[in-house]
Amino acid sequence: MQNIHLFAEYKKTELRVFDNLEKSEIKNLTEMGSAVRLNHGAHRQVIAISDLNPDSLYSASKHLVRGDPLPLFKHWDPKQEKAFEDDLTDEIDKWNHHMNHLALHFSPEVISTRAYWKSVKQHVWFFATEVGLREDIRPCFMLELEVLARQNKKTTKSSVTKSWISPKYVNRAELEKLVLYAAESALDKLHAKPFHSGAYSLVLGPLAAPGIFHEVVGHGLEADIAALTGAAFHNSKGERIGSDKLTIVDDPTSLGLPGSYNIDDEGITAKCTTLVEEGRISNYLSHLHSKVQSNGHGRVINYAHPPLVRMSNTFVLPGEDEPEEIILETKSGIYIKNAFNGDVNMITGEFKIHVTEGYLIENGKLTTPITPSILKGDGRKLLRSIDRVGNDFQIHAEVRGGCGKLGQSPLPVSAGSPTVRVLDWEVQAIDS
């Protein structure tokens, strides 16, 4: 008989969107399904049904399996026995009211807020003869807050995200901090000025850097990508690629984040994997079909897809540099506060990142907010150009989007980083 894996999931997603105090969108979505995965060396086939019933899955797959798979199904009974609590309660209305009130009274230029509250509870089951039956429950409660500001005819927007295991971990002080961050950023963008494209020292803030490292390092260190001849990190294990201040990990065990899990979607126990240690490549992300042993990074966007090597929560670990000192020691440069819509050539490491919030650094001080810009370049060169790593680690959680790879998108992920300085980098003003 072929090597056979069984997989099933039950996922409940609840979404509430508030425009100011009004609920503009309410979604309650339940998804469930199961699959037989037939593994023939490098070839994999998935037979999926939108049902958890073992008899239905057996009937759908038996004619495609060599031999009789019935003995395998004797161990397979994915029952939804553990009830999911309803996360989106009336407490959210109170939190949203307080955040909206705080934002609108922050400044007359603040005109509105939009809050995306999202709860995801996923229950997965996996069975293979070699590991037996394994299951995992993955809870995550998330918020993305947008604040809009207007002056004359110019309107700007800034956003910030946060995630928890469940609503019981939310506190008002955290929410107030998010409001102040987004409101200040939206107001600063009202006064953004054009600047000249050119080479600058970059100070990547802790909410801008995570997405950049996800793109330029994370994908390149996925084992299937790195195995390709000509890939940026092909046969690079042990190679020095950057400062000894730089350590990068991928950690699915950090609970309460969109990319967190206890077992991956191939039944392998999750563990933190160090990708770059003190500037040297120490490992690749891998799954059961990699040419190296799996470290628990086989993931799917849902039951109907084959597992791919994917990131989970990718973190640049904090260093010892004070972020204020990093800026003070930067004579001339750009501070990047927020960036999004990253794109990378997974093979070559060439990337493009859109900077949405930034400031000039002049004589060691943040001065003028700048209009949107684009960072382009080579990922390996970026890593070699890092000379400072701050101690102010923060996490960005994907609330409405996620990571894409080979048609499987959006996969829930998170990324985190402290402030990082990059020397001598080309920045392109969008209007230039």
Side-chain angles (χ1 to χ4, degrees):
M1 187 185 296
Q2 304 108 306
N3 179 247
I4 299 177
H5 296 166
L6 305 179
F7 181 80
E9 72 169 330
Y10 177 97
K11 184 164 69 174
K12 181 179 180 181
T13 303
E14 299 177 84
L15 176 70
R16 301 289 184 273
V17 181
F18 288 83
D19 284 311
N20 291 316
L21 302 180
E22 298 295 324
K23 289 180 185 174
S24 59
E25 186 175 353
I26 299 175
K27 286 186 178 179
N28 297 289
L29 179 64
T30 299
E31 304 168 86
M32 69 178 77
S34 52
V36 174
R37 298 172 182 164
L38 305 179
N39 306 300
H40 315 268
H43 176 71
R44 292 177 288 164
Q45 182 180 3
V46 177
I47 305 156
I49 62 171
S50 55
D51 194 333
L52 296 182
N53 187 292
D55 294 334
S56 299
L57 184 61
Y58 174 72
S59 297
S61 60
K62 63 181 180 180
H63 65 290
L64 295 172
V65 177
R66 292 198 303 268
D68 183 10
L70 187 58
L72 200 67
F73 278 83
K74 290 181 178 179
H75 305 280
W76 182 243
D77 191 14
K79 291 182 178 179
Q80 180 56 34
E81 296 176 343
K82 301 175 182 178
F84 289 170
E85 296 178 2
D86 289 331
D87 277 346
L88 298 186
T89 64
D90 290 341
E91 196 70 23
I92 290 178
D93 293 80
K94 298 176 185 177
W95 292 334
N96 189 76
H97 188 280
H98 180 62
M99 291 192 303
N100 179 260
H101 177 82
L102 185 62
L104 294 182
H105 285 78
F106 182 81
S107 168
E109 284 78 22
V110 174
I111 59 171
S112 67
T113 64
R114 173 172 284 187
Y116 299 83
W117 295 94
K118 185 178 182 181
S119 169
V120 178
K121 292 282 188 67
Q122 183 188 32
H123 192 164
V124 303
W125 299 261
F126 177 87
F127 181 84
T129 302
E130 57 270 27
V131 300
L133 180 65
R134 306 200 70 187
E135 60 182 306
D136 190 18
I137 292 181
R138 305 164 181 172
C140 190
F141 179 68
M142 296 165 276
L143 166 67
E144 179 175 344
L145 174 67
E146 294 179 351
V147 174
L148 273 69
R150 181 178 297 157
Q151 188 177 68
N152 299 324
K153 295 182 179 180
K154 184 177 182 180
T155 302
T156 59
K157 177 176 68 176
S158 183
S159 64
V160 65
T161 68
K162 180 72 178 177
S163 70
W164 305 265
I165 295 176
S166 77
K168 68 181 181 181
Y169 294 98
V170 178
N171 66 72
R172 182 167 288 203
E174 279 185 316
L175 299 180
E176 291 174 351
K177 186 176 179 180
L178 297 177
V179 172
L180 296 178
Y181 176 94
E184 289 176 350
S185 297
L187 290 177
D188 282 349
K189 291 170 75 173
L190 287 173
H191 307 289
K193 305 294 184 184
F195 70 103
H196 296 292
S197 300
Y200 294 86
S201 290
L202 302 182
V203 178
L204 308 177
L207 292 182
I212 294 173
F213 286 100
H214 171 98
E215 298 293 346
V216 306
V217 180
H219 282 300
L221 291 177
E222 292 167 339
D224 54 344
I225 301 299
L228 300 174
T229 302
F233 299 116
H234 181 65
N235 286 339
S236 296
K237 193 170 180 178
E239 179 183 341
R240 175 168 292 284
I241 58 170
S243 165
D244 59 7
K245 296 185 176 185
L246 186 66
T247 295
I248 302 174
V249 305
D250 193 275
D251 186 7
T253 69
S254 297
L255 298 181
L257 296 173
S260 301
Y261 49 86
N262 294 300
I263 62 169
D264 74 353
D265 294 329
E266 296 181 308
I268 302 298
T269 300
K271 62 180 179 180
C272 181
T273 299
T274 301
L275 300 175
V276 177
E277 185 171 14
E278 296 181 350
R280 294 184 183 274
I281 293 179
S282 59
N283 214 336
Y284 298 102
L285 300 179
S286 58
H287 70 351
L288 287 177
H289 301 275
S290 303
K291 294 182 180 180
V292 294
Q293 184 177 3
S294 173
N295 49 32
H297 285 84
R299 302 186 65 197
V300 296
I301 58 167
N302 62 44
Y303 62 92
H305 291 78
L308 300 175
V309 183
R310 305 298 296 268
M311 288 174 273
S312 61
N313 306 310
T314 309
F315 302 145
V316 178
L317 296 189
E320 298 179 353
D321 296 316
E322 295 289 342
E324 296 82 4
E325 292 182 3
I326 295 175
I327 295 171
L328 191 63
E329 294 172 4
T330 304
K331 199 74 173 173
S332 176
I334 293 177
Y335 177 80
I336 297 178
K337 189 174 183 179
N338 218 333
F340 80 112
N341 279 1
D343 188 27
V344 65
N345 182 315
M346 296 182 190
I347 309 301
T348 66
E350 293 288 324
F351 69 92
K352 179 171 70 173
I353 304 287
H354 291 265
V355 176
T356 58
E357 299 174 35
Y359 302 79
L360 292 179
I361 303 175
E362 299 172 292
N363 295 317
K365 295 181 179 180
L366 298 188
T367 58
T368 308
I370 60 172
T371 53
S373 57
I374 295 175
L375 303 183
K376 293 182 179 180
D378 173 76
R380 289 181 68 99
K381 180 183 175 183
L382 180 81
L383 296 173
R384 291 194 301 268
S385 302
I386 293 169
D387 75 329
R388 294 285 187 274
V389 178
N391 58 14
D392 55 338
F393 178 82
Q394 292 188 49
I395 293 174
H396 173 78
E398 289 286 354
V399 176
R400 290 184 291 155
C403 178
K405 180 179 178 181
L406 299 179
Q408 291 201 39
S409 177
L411 186 75
V413 294
S414 296
S417 177
T419 296
V420 173
R421 187 168 74 175
V422 179
L423 298 177
D424 191 27
W425 202 263
E426 286 292 327
V427 183
Q428 177 187 335
I430 287 181
D431 59 356
S432 66

